[in-house]
Amino acid sequence: MQGSGSVGLVTPQTAVFDTPIALSSGVVLPHYQLVYETYGTLNAEKSNAILICHALSGHHHVAGRYKETDKAAGWWDNMVGPGKPIDTNRFFVIGLNNLGGCHGSTGPSSIDPATGKPYGSSFPLVLVRDWVETQARLADQLGIYRFAAIIGGSLGGMQALRWTISYPERVRHALVIASAPKLTAQNIAFNDVARQAILTDPDFHGGDYYAHNTVPRRGLRLARMLGHITYLSDDGMGEKFGRLLRSGEYLYGYDVEFEIESYLRYQGDKFSDYFDANTYLLMTKALDYFDPARHYDGDLTEALRQAVAKFLVVSFTSDWRFSPARSREIVKALLDARKEVSYAEIESRHGHDAFLMEDAPYINIMRAYLNRVAAEINA
Amino acid sequence: MQGSGSVGLVTPQTAVFDTPIALSSGVVLPHYQLVYETYGTLNAEKSNAILICHALSGHHHVAGRYKETDKAAGWWDNMVGPGKPIDTNRFFVIGLNNLGGCHGSTGPSSIDPATGKPYGSSFPLVLVRDWVETQARLADQLGIYRFAAIIGGSLGGMQALRWTISYPERVRHALVIASAPKLTAQNIAFNDVARQAILTDPDFHGGDYYAHNTVPRRGLRLARMLGHITYLSDDGMGEKFGRLLRSGEYLYGYDVEFEIESYLRYQGDKFSDYFDANTYLLMTKALDYFDPARHYDGDLTEALRQAVAKFLVVSFTSDWRFSPARSREIVKALLDARKEVSYAEIESRHGHDAFLMEDAPYINIMRAYLNRVAAEINA
């Protein structure tokens, strides 16, 4: 079942929480559930657990397949599996869908037991620190106190970083990949255009579109098209699509002419078929709000001073969403706070998406670092 | 009337063309009109004319005011006027609204005499080379054969460049500012998201929204918000807005929280109140299609070999829409074609918008170059 580096067939599980959680917004959520998957075996000392935190549109299905016939494996199947960098022969790996998600964890599209209807516009906004809180409670249920590593790319990296501040003693290693210590004005601007596309879609109905049997598909499609531009690099797009015309000539109309248009519209259409618009809005807000230095007078070094974890920070040269400079801000703050940090700036043309790709130098660095983590917990 | 560097009060004029024009798309437009303004005096030799070509959302109102009480002057008032770099004491300056525009020249929102209704979806797409053709006809009407200079920023720079290929003998100097020899996949991608926002707005009605007494305001607003992100630099936005919160704290909702959101939404709202969506679509398509090397096997040097003009190419360091590298492609092709070219790469934090700003080094370079142009025509 675990042949050729795959975790094989997997089954999601659900953790139910009946202890109310007070969110950063002030809203108290009386109960919620989180859907998650695990790969590998928790050792007797419960010291080999790794938590994978997902990005904007990610979820708990990190590796493996649900059925032999599934076309696609989990979203990080190239990184997680027996013999892979996050080696399930050595580690007990947990992927979860964050609170507010749309893949099984309680979110805007879930039924609110209090009303019998989807939460919709009444679902509270959630911050990265709230996610860390819910993840810690999930770890409690699984009997895990200290994670061997918490790993995430992009928004996932922010969760890993936040863990080291919220629960310093519970993280041995934080792997913060293609991430940033906070969003810039430009980052927020892109998010706001995406949000406005959804919010002004006539099918949005103030977030309660479920009751209208509709979906703000147009807005969500635009949001995803725009997102994709920021996930790829200018050079990477140029190499893959350039100015290629679908029919070889100008058509003088608004149907697809350039291959890049075809690609983006396809991505947007596909996404708007399955992703929940309210979750998309919520995730972009979690990104905007993330700023762990905020309660330390803007001083990231101060925020990170209490961390106990060791860090691996990874960035990709062509990532302009969260450029290497943003990762270096994290590294500098960690060094100034006298933390142990390794930093890799990886040559790649894949832009922000590089963190999901199978570039050899990236895979090798992850493997080497996680070998060290494994050695440490076995020492 | 021409005090303190202003051209003073100005009045737009209209040129009517009854000779049909065959557009690149194959469509023949039987008649059309162009609205334009002029500043300064055409000399007896008719050798001191300068044509200003506008960018995506520009128009003929380049300098001066219509009434003393007008709050804003023309869009390039800091560059055009008595004693300014484009000195109306020496030059006869023409600004026009391009064919397809929405400021008085024939465009999608104009009444089609054949039907008595707005052209709407029946208005043909227009290429940069078509604009050059219409601009040459306007010059004919004004009795101008050879321009002292043709000047434009961004899409305007593409027109200046195209002039030197279409009508080599009619351009003494071409000033190509913050421009590019063709769009990249990423440039096209941004344009396509903007177009899809408009095209999928339920109020678009296939381009014939005039008949429905409505306007695809939502789509146009999104297009403009997105455009604005690409006109500013990440650093510039960071300096001006950063993560500033309007109320000083997180509000946990989707109303304006960050100042950058307020700015973008305001820009989008304002624009959607006055700009025609069909014109916006048409202008983005003209950008996508621009590729003067296309009929020369992709060889820009070959395309430019026939140019007679001398060139000034200007780029701005923080412009990521059309980065300095794109200007250097033009410069390299011109040098390879053994043309006379000056190139200035100006340090600026204003991104693409820098071409409209009053940065001293930029103004000084423009002034110095145009002094040379003036000296040449007086020699």
Side-chain angles (χ1 to χ4, degrees):
Chain A
M1 189 168 149
Q2 291 198 348
S4 42
S6 168
V7 298
L9 293 182
V10 298
T11 310
Q13 296 171 262
T14 300
V16 175
F17 300 85
D18 286 319
T19 311
I21 185 166
L23 301 168
S24 304
S25 63
V27 176
V28 175
L29 208 57
H31 31 66
Y32 57 96
Q33 63 176 44
L34 296 177
V35 62
Y36 66 100
E37 290 179 12
T38 69
Y39 324 105
T41 309
L42 189 61
N43 63 13
E45 302 78 24
K46 300 184 173 179
S47 64
N48 70 334
I50 286 184
L51 177 68
I52 310 283
C53 302
H54 71 74
L56 188 57
S57 58
H59 45 67
H60 56 287
H61 187 35
V62 176
R65 285 173 162 77
Y66 293 141
K67 304 185 301 291
E68 298 284 3
T69 53
D70 281 358
K71 271 188 208 163
W75 60 266
W76 224 6
D77 195 76
N78 58 18
M79 193 64 86
V80 177
K84 290 181 178 168
I86 302 174
D87 188 346
T88 51
N89 288 334
R90 302 198 284 196
F91 294 110
F92 176 67
V93 180
I94 305 166
L96 86 159
N97 185 214
N98 276 334
L99 183 69
C102 56
H103 289 87
S105 292
T106 302
S109 55
S110 307
I111 299 296
D112 178 356
T115 65
K117 293 177 193 164
Y119 286 95
S121 62
S122 74
F123 198 84
L125 288 187
V126 177
L127 266 61
V128 167
R129 60 194 304 168
D130 297 323
W131 283 335
V132 167
E133 188 59 37
T134 59
Q135 290 161 2
R137 291 187 181 190
L138 175 63
D140 292 343
Q141 277 205 11
L142 298 174
I144 296 157
Y145 178 69
R146 190 177 196 195
F147 282 102
I150 297 182
I151 307 178
S154 193
L155 178 55
M158 294 172 179
Q159 294 160 58
L161 198 62
R162 181 71 230 185
W163 260 96
T164 70
I165 299 170
S166 291
Y167 292 103
E169 298 290 344
R170 299 188 73 169
V171 196
R172 250 183 207 280
H173 292 270
L175 282 70
V176 179
I177 306 166
S179 195
K182 63 185 175 193
L183 263 55
T184 63
Q186 190 191 67
N187 294 146
I188 296 170
F190 277 119
N191 280 346
D192 199 48
V193 175
R195 281 192 295 265
Q196 289 296 309
I198 294 168
L199 295 165
T200 64
D201 185 325
D203 288 330
F204 182 66
H205 296 290
D208 295 313
Y209 44 86
Y210 318 99
H212 293 79
N213 274 315
T214 185
V215 161
R217 195 179 302 275
R218 284 174 295 247
L220 193 54
R221 174 176 177 269
L222 291 170
R224 185 61 164 184
M225 289 177 71
L226 179 53
H228 258 280
I229 301 179
T230 69
Y231 303 152
L232 305 179
S233 75
D234 190 11
D235 284 351
M237 262 191 179
E239 271 176 26
K240 194 168 172 188
F241 303 104
R243 295 179 53 84
L244 274 180
L245 291 162
R246 262 204 135 175
S247 72
E249 43 193 310
Y250 292 166
L251 302 175
Y252 303 107
Y254 297 117
D255 290 339
V256 164
E257 291 198 276
F258 293 93
E259 288 289 356
I260 180 65
E261 297 175 315
S262 170
Y263 171 81
L264 280 186
R265 295 185 199 180
Y266 173 77
Q267 295 293 339
D269 287 337
K270 202 174 64 171
F271 189 73
S272 67
D273 275 345
Y274 73 85
F275 205 86
D276 179 62
N278 280 319
T279 289
Y280 198 85
L281 292 173
L282 175 151
M283 295 277 167
T284 64
K285 272 297 191 182
L287 275 164
D288 287 5
Y289 289 139
F290 182 69
D291 183 7
R294 189 158 178 261
H295 292 295
Y296 298 84
D297 279 334
D299 186 339
L300 187 62
T301 303
E302 275 313 307
L304 289 167
R305 208 175 285 285
Q306 61 211 294
V308 174
K310 296 168 188 166
F311 291 82
L312 173 64
V313 177
V314 179
S315 72
F316 301 92
T317 52
S318 62
D319 183 353
W320 63 280
R321 183 178 175 86
F322 297 142
S323 73
R326 312 308 314 283
S327 281
R328 288 195 298 262
E329 288 174 41
I330 298 172
V331 172
K332 183 178 184 313
L334 286 168
L335 290 174
D336 288 348
R338 303 190 176 282
K339 303 301 165 189
E340 197 176 321
V341 53
S342 303
Y343 175 54
E345 195 167 308
I346 292 169
E347 187 76 35
S348 167
R349 308 211 102 183
H350 288 124
H352 189 59
D353 264 359
F355 86 86
L356 296 166
M357 303 278 178
E358 213 172 331
D359 282 337
Y362 170 43
I363 294 286
N364 291 342
I365 280 165
M366 293 290 285
R367 186 186 301 279
Y369 194 90
L370 286 155
N371 279 342
R372 185 186 135 191
V373 175
E376 230 178 67
I377 57 176
N378 292 325
Chain B
M1 191 168 150
Q2 291 197 352
S4 41
S6 167
V7 298
L9 293 182
V10 298
T11 310
Q13 297 170 260
T14 301
V16 175
F17 301 85
D18 287 319
T19 311
I21 185 166
L23 300 168
S24 305
S25 64
V27 176
V28 175
L29 209 57
H31 31 66
Y32 57 96
Q33 64 176 44
L34 296 177
V35 63
Y36 67 100
E37 289 177 14
T38 69
Y39 324 105
T41 309
L42 189 60
N43 63 13
E45 302 79 23
K46 301 185 173 181
S47 65
N48 69 333
I50 287 184
L51 178 68
I52 310 283
C53 303
H54 70 74
L56 188 56
S57 58
H59 45 66
H60 55 288
H61 188 34
V62 176
R65 286 173 161 76
Y66 294 140
K67 304 185 301 291
E68 299 284 3
T69 51
D70 280 359
K71 270 188 208 162
W75 58 267
W76 224 7
D77 196 75
N78 58 19
M79 192 65 85
V80 178
K84 290 181 178 168
I86 303 174
D87 187 347
T88 51
N89 289 333
R90 302 197 283 197
F91 295 111
F92 176 67
V93 180
I94 305 166
L96 86 159
N97 185 214
N98 277 334
L99 184 68
C102 56
H103 290 87
S105 292
T106 303
S109 55
S110 307
I111 299 296
D112 179 356
T115 64
K117 292 178 194 165
Y119 286 95
S121 62
S122 75
F123 197 84
L125 289 187
V126 176
L127 267 60
V128 167
R129 59 194 305 165
D130 298 323
W131 283 334
V132 168
E133 188 59 35
T134 59
Q135 290 160 2
R137 292 186 180 192
L138 175 63
D140 293 343
Q141 277 204 12
L142 298 174
I144 296 157
Y145 179 69
R146 192 177 194 195
F147 282 101
I150 298 182
I151 307 179
S154 192
L155 178 55
M158 295 173 178
Q159 295 160 56
L161 198 63
R162 181 70 230 185
W163 259 96
T164 70
I165 300 170
S166 291
Y167 292 103
E169 298 291 344
R170 299 188 72 169
V171 195
R172 249 183 208 278
H173 293 269
L175 282 70
V176 180
I177 306 166
S179 195
K182 63 185 175 193
L183 263 57
T184 63
Q186 191 191 68
N187 294 145
I188 296 170
F190 277 120
N191 280 346
D192 199 48
V193 176
R195 280 193 295 267
Q196 290 295 309
I198 294 168
L199 293 165
T200 63
D201 185 325
D203 287 330
F204 182 65
H205 297 289
D208 296 313
Y209 44 86
Y210 317 99
H212 293 78
N213 274 316
T214 184
V215 161
R217 196 179 302 275
R218 283 175 294 248
L220 193 54
R221 174 175 178 269
L222 291 170
R224 184 63 164 183
M225 289 177 72
L226 178 53
H228 258 280
I229 301 179
T230 70
Y231 304 152
L232 305 179
S233 74
D234 189 11
D235 284 349
M237 263 191 179
E239 271 175 26
K240 194 168 171 187
F241 304 103
R243 296 179 51 84
L244 272 182
L245 292 162
R246 262 204 135 174
S247 72
E249 43 194 311
Y250 292 165
L251 303 175
Y252 304 106
Y254 297 118
D255 290 338
V256 164
E257 291 198 275
F258 293 93
E259 288 289 357
I260 181 65
E261 298 174 315
S262 171
Y263 171 80
L264 280 185
R265 295 185 199 179
Y266 173 77
Q267 294 293 339
D269 287 336
K270 201 173 64 169
F271 189 72
S272 66
D273 275 345
Y274 74 85
F275 205 85
D276 180 62
N278 280 319
T279 289
Y280 197 86
L281 292 173
L282 175 150
M283 295 279 167
T284 64
K285 272 296 190 183
L287 275 164
D288 287 6
Y289 288 140
F290 182 69
D291 182 7
R294 189 158 176 262
H295 292 296
Y296 298 85
D297 279 335
D299 186 340
L300 186 62
T301 303
E302 275 312 308
L304 289 168
R305 209 175 284 286
Q306 61 209 294
V308 174
K310 296 168 188 166
F311 292 82
L312 173 64
V313 177
V314 179
S315 72
F316 300 92
T317 51
S318 62
D319 183 354
W320 63 280
R321 182 177 176 87
F322 297 142
S323 73
R326 311 306 314 284
S327 282
R328 288 196 296 263
E329 288 174 40
I330 299 172
V331 172
K332 183 179 186 311
L334 287 167
L335 290 174
D336 288 347
R338 302 191 177 282
K339 303 302 166 190
E340 199 177 318
V341 53
S342 303
Y343 175 56
E345 196 168 307
I346 292 168
E347 187 75 36
S348 166
R349 309 210 102 183
H350 288 124
H352 188 59
D353 264 358
F355 87 87
L356 296 166
M357 303 278 177
E358 213 172 330
D359 281 336
Y362 170 43
I363 294 286
N364 291 342
I365 279 165
M366 292 291 283
R367 185 186 300 279
Y369 194 89
L370 286 155
N371 279 342
R372 186 186 134 190
V373 175
E376 229 176 68
I377 57 176
N378 292 326

